[in-house]
Amino acid sequence: MAQILPLKEAIADAVRDGDTVALEGFTHLIPFAAGHEIIRQRRRNLTLVRMTPDVIYDQLIGAGCASKLVFSWGGNPGVGSLHRLRDAVEKGWPGPLALEEHAHAGMATAYAAGASGLPFGLLRGYLGSDLPKFNPTIKFIECPFTGERLAALPAIRPDVSVIHAQKADRKGNVMLWGVTGVQKEAVLAARRAVVTVEEIVDRLEAPRHAPNVVILPNWVVRSVAEVKGGAFPSYALGYYPRNNAFYKQWDHVARDRDTFNAWIDRHVRGTADFAEFRRSLEGTPLNV
Amino acid sequence: MAQILPLKEAIADAVRDGDTVALEGFTHLIPFAAGHEIIRQRRRNLTLVRMTPDVIYDQLIGAGCASKLVFSWGGNPGVGSLHRLRDAVEKGWPGPLALEEHAHAGMATAYAAGASGLPFGLLRGYLGSDLPKFNPTIKFIECPFTGERLAALPAIRPDVSVIHAQKADRKGNVMLWGVTGVQKEAVLAARRAVVTVEEIVDRLEAPRHAPNVVILPNWVVRSVAEVKGGAFPSYALGYYPRNNAFYKQWDHVARDRDTFNAWIDRHVRGTADFAEFRRSLEGTPLNV
Amino acid sequence: MSDETVPLKPDTPYTADEMMTIAAARMVRNGAALFVGIGLPSAAANLARLTHAPDTVLIYESGTIGTKPNVLPLSIGDGELAETADAVVAVPEMFAYWLQGGRIDLGFLGAAQIDRFANINTTVIGDYHKPSTRLPGAGGAPEIAASCKEVLITLRHSPRAFVEKLDFITSVGHVDGGDGRAKLRLPGKGPTSVITDLGILTPDPQTKELTLTSVHPGVDVEQVKKATGWPLEVAPQVSTTAPPTGAELSVLRDLQARTAKAHAGQA
Amino acid sequence: MSDETVPLKPDTPYTADEMMTIAAARMVRNGAALFVGIGLPSAAANLARLTHAPDTVLIYESGTIGTKPNVLPLSIGDGELAETADAVVAVPEMFAYWLQGGRIDLGFLGAAQIDRFANINTTVIGDYHKPSTRLPGAGGAPEIAASCKEVLITLRHSPRAFVEKLDFITSVGHVDGGDGRAKLRLPGKGPTSVITDLGILTPDPQTKELTLTSVHPGVDVEQVKKATGWPLEVAPQVSTTAPPTGAELSVLRDLQARTAKAHAGQA
């Protein structure tokens, strides 16, 4: 049964050094606040899992939290490279970063297998691609009916999955809508699930015309933390838009190791929580 | 792109003798009107597919439309047996009925595999059950990672799937909500999909608090027919409740071959359409 | 003194079915996630929710999660289940993410036949190809029996139901006993109680053979043995099931009265 | 005379990127279901929808089906995609039921490198373990390339992009040519056009080798050969791409102006 906790406690309770952690989100509802809290708590040696590692993963990697990345597309969407991710892969800074690389279809299938209690997931995929040569977790099996070659991937079962959602009620039932990516699967596949939300309300109700409403009952969630704006600079449909300027400006911050270090020290490690982080941005190019 | 057609034309266009036909629905939104039209058009030798064949399948089987049934639970829910189904299986009346028998989890997986373009579906299932002894389509494979035995089922790919939904718009986009069973998978797995709806509206909008809204875009549907009350005696959430009395009374109609024949002749074969069928029930024990 | 603890007056009549349903309901731990079949299991699960286990999460295979029906559903997908649910999901998701995903605490099954290792038959009586009675079939049962952390079975006691050998194994309980489940690598621990109209059977911790551990008030051990189609193991100490409390009985009867009224016509 | 057919005045300047986007957009059949990547493919697909192919169904891998954005999304999951979609589904469903399900007519891909059989690299430049440039990776591309009925590829022409040998095969086009796709039992027919800023390449019907079939106005064949890192096959008859019409150019420019304005800050 989900506990309602302050974010600091929720992360301290759920995320341990060496864990496999998925902070999921597909452009929408990226759990930035939770990612910052992991940086603040100086977790180390994490295996980070995500289909689309973006700026928050760039920050986690640059801040030295991760030793491995499981992913299928790593970039700053619409802007370009993730410089901290590239620096870790290309130069081993701040430490080496092992890669387990997939295609989206494979990772989505592996998450769904994890959520389904299956040891592996099955897809028509990777045929002819070099990815299986560099990722030994991708195997091929033969269909027992048609003889076709199909890809088989071990289920993804994170120690911890973290997502951001629009709402929870006071019992910890969670509601999200819009682009929900693999968040449901990530939560159901994980041993421990932490959810940050825009608001905790008396009664869960979706706004009129909200597309693709997903509900996660409280008994599949370990903790819920209310963090208003906790997906900034990504967006929360119905709450605030994506701050595209931040994503573009991030390119400048992340290009240089010293600039990045100074930014993380000042704005993340040097702030007590996400609200203070937001205030610390005032007057900087990355402000709202 | 879906055509909006009268039901009679939609069925004539899509359903042919010898086809594999799934009229899906899990208690809710059972496509009774479409099933009646198949009886009226005297289709023969159908392989009927459904997780939960109920009264409409009892009618189709008793009326001699089917030579095979693929299913996982066949009964009159909360009432008892389907007498026409039992008579066909136990006594071969009105003709022999071959059975391909599954468990729900297996059929749901096989439909999902069909919708997914996979040749087979994978589940932890059937272990220790006698079902695989009597259904040779159920095989077991070994997980390439853990060595566990998992069940493998060939994908279900009906020639035609028929569902009933609450609404469509004038372009043939379909909306349903509430208990939606495997309807989405049945439609996406089928070569041809026919949808009957309570109403055709200018703009698809779900009612406030409608749970589990599913949208099927018009380009995955072959035809849409407006049939008000077309799920009677089952229910359409937001439109009318389940007519439990009909289900209970059906037990009496279906017990006896002659009573059944007379009922089908009078109320289904003897009526031009579903509206006339409904009027023909007036004053009978199976009336609304 | 709360209503819960008011003992039934000794002369209050109750039926064997009521005793069975109440005994089954008592086995539900508050807060557990229950996968519920229609009929007796549904009545017991809802009775538990309406008495000592208000935070029980009722899940029906139609895809309704956390449903709180005011009347018992006649079918597994009744509108009231959807309207009172915390969430409604598609059936493939229900079986894959929720049941097979291993997150259901307790599965609640009925049966037409059961054997000494709590394997059950809901498929056919007689030969599969020439059955004397064609039953509805498996439904969700094989995977409920396999994947729920624990399983309860309720059915009426008779030699025709409690048989030496099943005509068809639809869903496995403890297979052939002992470590039969472990050998099949089944995830859940299988049936932990069989609750009948005569008493309660529990698998022996080692052999997994069903053993009579409790008889309902007014039932004697011989009667249960006679209603069982194999030589029934009996625990050294057979307890007597506590009779229904006034509260249990009145909540159950109210529920069934509401249900009967609702199902008389449209519901 | 409708706007559509107004020819561009001969002296109206347009960029090579505009020509590429417009040439790509023209390949979209009205009513087709398109699986669209971010960047050039998204611009071309939306231009098609806003000009000759209004009933085109745009699908982004974020799960948005039938989306009608007013500005180009910066990311593949922008809010506007969700708000203007006919339906939004989860990402596993998108890949399983919609893409792998074989119901997408046309996949629209970009690439960092391409070879003569239209195989593409979006993973690394250089050695995988010691890359000179780490690119974003596969994303949805391998299965878009495999499963869409047909695939279009757009990228800028240069010897660094059009290479003799890919540093990494991320997604296969025509594999090693000929019946390479059939041998792998890939469902779709693979890339049918590669649209660049210089012209259009089409796989030879037999060998599947990319062949220059059209050059954009003002571009000559030699220029395209020089920008290609292998000895480029040239069709016996190389046509010249029709220049942008006034309507195409103004719709594209309006779209990009709206987009630039929207993305300047929050959007």
Side-chain angles (χ1 to χ4, degrees):
Chain A
M1 213 57 96
Q3 287 190 77
I4 312 264
L5 292 177
L7 177 58
K8 188 184 291 253
E9 286 176 38
I11 295 297
D13 165 65
V15 184
R16 297 149 201 175
D17 285 353
D19 273 356
T20 295
V21 183
L23 297 100
E24 268 296 347
F26 216 89
T27 307
H28 182 211
L29 297 172
I30 310 304
F32 269 88
H36 283 184
E37 193 52 39
I38 291 172
I39 294 173
R40 273 188 208 103
Q41 297 190 11
R42 297 178 190 272
R43 294 280 71 77
R44 286 293 175 271
N45 203 26
L46 302 179
T47 292
L48 292 178
V49 183
R50 185 155 156 216
M51 291 182 64
T52 52
D54 69 350
V55 167
I56 187 63
Y57 272 48
D58 214 31
Q59 295 176 359
L60 283 155
I61 290 164
C65 299
S67 57
K68 185 175 175 186
L69 176 67
V70 181
F71 80 112
S72 43
W73 194 90
N76 184 347
V79 177
S81 291
L82 294 174
H83 300 290
R84 296 298 95 227
L85 166 57
R86 279 184 60 176
D87 202 13
V89 173
E90 295 170 10
K91 308 276 169 57
W93 190 93
L97 185 72
L99 296 185
E100 181 184 315
E101 185 160 2
H102 290 274
H104 278 351
M107 268 189 91
T109 302
Y111 267 122
S116 301
L118 285 173
F120 77 101
L122 190 70
L123 74 155
R124 286 187 193 279
Y126 295 111
L127 283 177
S129 170
D130 281 343
L131 281 164
K133 294 183 192 163
F134 295 93
N135 180 346
T137 73
I138 303 166
K139 298 195 177 188
F140 291 91
I141 63 169
E142 205 174 87
C143 170
F145 303 98
T146 65
E148 284 166 281
R149 252 164 84 81
L150 297 162
L153 295 173
I156 295 176
R157 300 293 315 261
D159 295 308
V160 190
S161 287
V162 182
I163 67 164
H164 187 74
Q166 278 103 337
K167 288 183 190 182
D169 67 17
R170 294 187 198 286
K171 292 178 176 170
N173 298 298
V174 171
M175 178 181 273
L176 57 163
W177 63 87
V179 170
T180 61
V182 290
Q183 279 102 307
K184 184 181 214 169
E185 288 73 16
V187 164
L188 295 180
R191 289 175 180 83
R192 303 184 287 281
V194 176
V195 182
T196 56
V197 295
E198 287 299 321
E199 55 175 342
I200 293 179
V201 297
D202 289 328
R203 203 170 154 215
L204 275 189
E205 286 185 4
R208 195 138 176 79
H209 308 311
N212 188 35
V213 177
V214 171
I215 292 165
L216 295 166
N218 59 6
W219 48 282
V220 299
V221 171
R222 182 180 177 101
S223 54
V224 171
E226 189 179 51
V227 187
K228 192 164 180 281
F232 168 88
S234 80
Y235 73 104
L237 196 66
Y239 290 79
Y240 46 90
R242 192 167 191 268
N243 192 293
N244 285 322
F246 185 106
Y247 282 88
K248 289 179 179 171
Q249 287 296 326
W250 179 253
D251 198 69
H252 306 299
V253 173
R255 256 175 211 281
D256 179 78
R257 292 176 185 172
D258 292 338
T259 315
F260 168 79
N261 271 342
W263 191 91
I264 286 284
D265 278 343
R266 164 78 186 87
H267 296 289
V268 181
R269 291 202 192 99
T271 56
D273 59 21
F274 203 66
E276 201 180 316
F277 159 75
R278 292 293 296 275
R279 285 195 299 275
S280 81
L281 292 183
E282 283 169 22
T284 80
L286 281 77
N287 195 18
V288 196
Chain B
M1 212 58 95
Q3 286 190 78
I4 311 266
L5 292 176
L7 177 59
K8 188 184 291 253
E9 287 176 38
I11 295 296
D13 164 66
V15 184
R16 298 149 200 177
D17 285 354
D19 272 354
T20 295
V21 183
L23 298 99
E24 269 296 346
F26 216 88
T27 308
H28 182 210
L29 297 172
I30 310 303
F32 268 88
H36 282 183
E37 193 53 40
I38 291 172
I39 294 172
R40 273 189 208 102
Q41 297 189 12
R42 296 178 190 272
R43 293 280 72 77
R44 286 293 176 273
N45 202 26
L46 302 179
T47 291
L48 292 178
V49 183
R50 184 155 155 214
M51 290 182 66
T52 52
D54 69 350
V55 167
I56 186 63
Y57 272 48
D58 214 33
Q59 295 176 0
L60 283 155
I61 291 164
C65 300
S67 57
K68 184 174 175 184
L69 177 66
V70 181
F71 79 113
S72 42
W73 192 92
N76 185 344
V79 178
S81 291
L82 294 174
H83 300 289
R84 296 297 97 226
L85 166 58
R86 279 184 58 176
D87 202 13
V89 173
E90 295 170 9
K91 309 276 169 55
W93 191 93
L97 185 72
L99 295 184
E100 181 184 314
E101 185 161 3
H102 289 274
H104 278 351
M107 268 190 91
T109 302
Y111 268 121
S116 301
L118 285 173
F120 76 101
L122 189 71
L123 75 154
R124 286 185 193 280
Y126 295 111
L127 282 177
S129 169
D130 281 344
L131 282 164
K133 293 182 191 163
F134 295 92
N135 180 345
T137 73
I138 304 166
K139 297 194 177 189
F140 291 90
I141 63 168
E142 205 174 88
C143 170
F145 303 98
T146 65
E148 285 165 279
R149 251 165 84 81
L150 297 162
L153 295 173
I156 296 177
R157 301 292 315 259
D159 294 309
V160 190
S161 286
V162 182
I163 67 165
H164 187 75
Q166 278 103 337
K167 289 184 189 182
D169 67 17
R170 295 187 197 287
K171 292 178 176 170
N173 297 298
V174 171
M175 179 182 272
L176 57 162
W177 63 87
V179 170
T180 60
V182 290
Q183 279 103 307
K184 182 181 217 171
E185 287 74 17
V187 164
L188 295 180
R191 288 175 180 83
R192 303 183 289 280
V194 176
V195 182
T196 56
V197 295
E198 287 298 322
E199 54 175 342
I200 292 178
V201 296
D202 290 328
R203 201 168 155 218
L204 276 190
E205 284 184 7
R208 195 138 175 78
H209 309 307
N212 188 35
V213 177
V214 171
I215 293 165
L216 295 166
N218 58 6
W219 48 283
V220 299
V221 171
R222 183 181 177 100
S223 55
V224 170
E226 189 179 51
V227 187
K228 193 164 179 283
F232 167 89
S234 80
Y235 73 105
L237 196 66
Y239 290 80
Y240 46 90
R242 192 168 191 268
N243 192 291
N244 284 322
F246 185 106
Y247 282 87
K248 289 179 179 170
Q249 288 295 326
W250 179 253
D251 198 69
H252 305 297
V253 173
R255 258 176 209 279
D256 179 79
R257 292 175 186 173
D258 292 338
T259 316
F260 167 81
N261 272 342
W263 191 91
I264 286 284
D265 278 342
R266 164 78 185 87
H267 297 289
V268 181
R269 292 201 192 100
T271 55
D273 59 23
F274 202 67
E276 201 179 316
F277 158 75
R278 292 293 297 275
R279 284 195 299 276
S280 80
L281 292 182
E282 283 169 22
T284 80
L286 282 78
N287 194 19
V288 199
Chain C
M1 199 154 113
S2 94
D3 233 34
E4 274 293 324
T5 57
V6 178
L8 204 64
K9 283 187 198 139
D11 57 346
T12 303
Y14 57 88
T15 69
D17 269 9
E18 286 172 336
M19 182 70 253
M20 168 168 58
T21 303
I22 289 166
R26 289 175 185 160
M27 304 228 170
V28 175
R29 182 176 54 74
N30 191 24
L34 257 69
F35 209 96
V36 185
I38 280 299
L40 288 172
S42 176
N46 278 285
L47 177 59
R49 183 178 62 82
L50 295 169
T51 54
H52 69 284
D55 297 325
T56 299
V57 179
L58 299 192
I59 298 170
Y60 288 78
E61 65 195 16
S62 55
T64 50
I65 297 174
T67 173
K68 296 159 278 290
N70 184 47
V71 303
L72 294 174
L74 185 68
S75 83
I76 204 136
D78 274 15
E80 183 159 350
L81 295 178
E83 287 172 316
T84 64
D86 293 331
V88 182
V89 301
V91 163
E93 176 179 326
M94 174 53 70
F95 281 96
Y97 288 3
W98 298 86
L99 179 60
Q100 183 177 259
R103 56 196 101 247
I104 312 295
D105 298 306
L106 192 60
F108 227 133
L109 295 172
Q113 287 184 332
I114 188 167
D115 71 12
R116 74 182 70 202
F117 296 115
N119 304 299
I120 62 179
N121 174 17
T122 56
T123 304
V124 286
I125 306 296
D127 178 72
Y128 183 79
H129 293 291
K130 286 276 167 208
S132 63
T133 306
R134 176 63 233 195
L135 302 166
E143 287 71 29
I144 294 173
S147 290
C148 291
K149 289 176 192 156
E150 198 177 322
V151 174
L152 299 180
I153 300 170
T154 53
L155 77 170
R156 296 189 187 96
H157 224 124
S158 85
R160 283 176 55 198
F162 284 69
V163 297
E164 180 69 43
K165 187 170 165 26
L166 299 179
D167 289 340
F168 191 100
I169 302 172
T170 310
S171 310
V172 289
H174 296 286
V175 198
D176 49 4
D179 60 352
R181 282 185 74 87
K183 277 194 213 139
L184 283 181
R185 295 175 78 164
L186 294 168
K189 64 180 168 181
T192 51
S193 291
V194 176
I195 303 103
T196 81
D197 50 346
L198 300 182
I200 298 170
L201 315 185
T202 311
D204 177 87
Q206 299 306 316
T207 67
K208 302 295 181 188
E209 182 165 342
L210 289 177
T211 305
L212 181 65
T213 50
S214 186
V215 289
H216 298 330
V219 175
D220 66 32
V221 170
E222 280 312 306
Q223 197 181 341
V224 185
K225 282 180 157 180
K226 262 190 212 151
T228 304
W230 69 82
L232 180 64
E233 286 288 324
V234 178
Q237 295 281 341
V238 175
S239 58
T240 300
T241 313
T245 66
E248 285 169 336
L249 210 52
S250 74
V251 171
L252 176 59
R253 287 174 179 179
D254 283 355
L255 176 63
Q256 287 180 326
R258 283 200 301 278
T259 300
K261 196 174 165 196
H263 293 180
Q266 305 166 23
Chain D
M1 200 155 112
S2 92
D3 232 35
E4 274 293 323
T5 57
V6 178
L8 203 62
K9 283 186 199 142
D11 56 347
T12 303
Y14 56 90
T15 68
D17 270 9
E18 285 172 338
M19 183 69 253
M20 167 167 60
T21 304
I22 288 166
R26 288 175 185 160
M27 304 225 169
V28 175
R29 183 177 54 75
N30 191 25
L34 258 68
F35 209 96
V36 185
I38 280 298
L40 288 172
S42 177
N46 277 287
L47 177 59
R49 182 178 63 82
L50 295 170
T51 53
H52 69 284
D55 297 327
T56 300
V57 179
L58 299 194
I59 299 169
Y60 289 79
E61 65 195 15
S62 55
T64 51
I65 297 174
T67 174
K68 296 159 279 289
N70 184 46
V71 302
L72 295 175
L74 185 67
S75 83
I76 204 135
D78 275 16
E80 184 158 349
L81 296 179
E83 286 172 317
T84 64
D86 293 331
V88 182
V89 301
V91 162
E93 176 180 327
M94 174 53 70
F95 281 97
Y97 288 4
W98 298 86
L99 179 59
Q100 185 177 258
R103 56 196 100 247
I104 311 295
D105 297 307
L106 192 61
F108 226 133
L109 293 174
Q113 288 184 331
I114 187 167
D115 71 13
R116 75 182 69 202
F117 295 116
N119 304 300
I120 62 178
N121 173 17
T122 55
T123 303
V124 285
I125 305 298
D127 178 71
Y128 182 79
H129 293 291
K130 285 278 166 206
S132 63
T133 307
R134 176 64 232 194
L135 302 165
E143 287 71 30
I144 294 172
S147 290
C148 291
K149 289 176 192 156
E150 197 176 322
V151 174
L152 299 181
I153 300 170
T154 53
L155 76 170
R156 296 188 186 97
H157 225 123
S158 85
R160 284 176 55 196
F162 284 70
V163 297
E164 179 68 43
K165 187 170 166 25
L166 298 179
D167 288 339
F168 190 99
I169 302 172
T170 310
S171 311
V172 288
H174 295 288
V175 197
D176 49 3
D179 61 351
R181 282 185 74 88
K183 277 195 213 141
L184 283 181
R185 296 175 78 162
L186 293 169
K189 62 180 170 182
T192 51
S193 291
V194 176
I195 303 103
T196 80
D197 51 347
L198 300 182
I200 298 171
L201 315 185
T202 312
D204 177 86
Q206 299 307 315
T207 68
K208 302 297 181 187
E209 183 166 341
L210 288 177
T211 305
L212 182 65
T213 50
S214 186
V215 289
H216 298 330
V219 175
D220 67 31
V221 170
E222 280 313 303
Q223 196 182 341
V224 186
K225 282 181 157 179
K226 264 191 210 151
T228 305
W230 68 81
L232 179 64
E233 288 288 323
V234 178
Q237 295 282 342
V238 175
S239 57
T240 299
T241 314
T245 66
E248 285 169 336
L249 210 52
S250 73
V251 171
L252 177 59
R253 286 176 179 178
D254 284 355
L255 175 63
Q256 286 180 326
R258 284 199 302 277
T259 299
K261 195 173 164 195
H263 292 181
Q266 305 166 24

